[in-house]
Amino acid sequence: MEFVTGGELFAKIPKCRCREDLTPRYFQQLISAVGYCHSHGVFHPDLKPENLLIDANGDLKVSDFGLSAVTSQNRVLYTSCGTPAYVAPEILARRGYNGSKIDIWSCGVILFLLNSGYLPFDCKSLPGIYEKIHKGEYCVPKRTSPGLRHLFSR
C-alpha cells in the first residue's frame, strides 16, 4: 500500500466527472493493464474501481487478483464470481465464458461510471441489477458524446 498513496479509483470518481482529462487517462491505463494481463493468460473477473489503485504519480494499478484465472485465451471458464454491478451477462448465464470478454465488459462499466458518476445497471435489489444486465437496460447521461454512446452500446 505504500506504493499506491493515491488510494482507490473509486474515491476519484466525482473528480473524474468534472475533469475531462482524468477519465481517458485512467481508462487508457486500465485497458493497457488488462491487455498486458491477457497477453500473459491472466484474467481478472473482479475489475471494479475499488480494485484499481492510484500511485503517487497518479498512475493506475490493478490490484486484488484473488479471483483471477490463469489459462489460455480460448479456454472456457465457469467460475461464478465478481461484484454484481460489474459482472458480465455471460457469468450470470452460467454457461461458461471467455475471460478476456468479461474483463472488457467490466472495463466498459467502469468507463460508464467514470463518465456519468453512477453505475449503468444500478438497482435497489440484486435480482433487479441482474435483470438490467441481462436486458442491457441503462440510461446514458445527455451530455455523453455520440462516440461514447456508441461504445457503450457495443
Side-chain angles (χ1 to χ4, degrees):
M1 292 305 294
E2 62 271 14
F3 298 112
V4 288
T5 57
E8 298 175 355
L9 179 61
F10 188 77
K12 306 250 186 243
I13 289 172
K15 292 178 185 171
C16 289
R17 263 187 68 224
C18 298
R19 291 193 47 203
E20 292 182 13
D21 62 319
L22 286 179
T23 294
R25 177 181 177 190
Y26 289 145
F27 190 68
Q28 185 275 325
Q29 290 180 2
L30 172 60
I31 292 299
S32 292
V34 169
Y36 179 83
C37 290
H38 289 177
S39 73
H40 287 82
V42 177
F43 306 98
H44 190 304
D46 197 24
L47 289 169
K48 58 186 176 183
E50 294 88 336
N51 289 341
L52 304 174
L53 307 175
I54 309 297
D55 70 10
N57 297 323
D59 293 323
L60 187 130
K61 307 292 181 190
V62 178
S63 70
D64 193 359
F65 285 84
L67 298 175
S68 66
V70 180
T71 185
S72 68
Q73 181 73 10
N74 297 325
R75 185 166 169 229
V76 176
L77 302 171
Y78 293 95
T79 306
S80 181
C81 57
T83 301
Y86 302 89
V87 73
E90 295 92 330
I91 292 177
L92 298 176
R94 299 179 189 259
R95 289 183 236 153
Y97 56 87
N98 176 300
S100 62
K101 289 182 180 179
I102 60 128
D103 283 351
I104 295 303
W105 171 275
S106 298
C107 289
V109 173
I110 292 166
L111 177 60
F112 187 99
L113 179 61
L114 289 172
N115 177 66
S116 67
Y118 60 87
L119 289 164
F121 307 107
D122 201 15
C123 190
K124 293 181 186 203
S125 71
L126 193 56
I129 292 172
Y130 291 159
E131 184 177 340
K132 285 185 174 193
I133 290 171
H134 273 297
K135 291 181 177 179
E137 291 180 358
Y138 60 94
C139 184
V140 180
K142 291 180 182 181
R143 64 174 172 72
T144 303
S145 71
L148 197 49
R149 282 178 184 274
H150 179 71
L151 181 61
F152 290 147
S153 71
R154 307 294 289 161

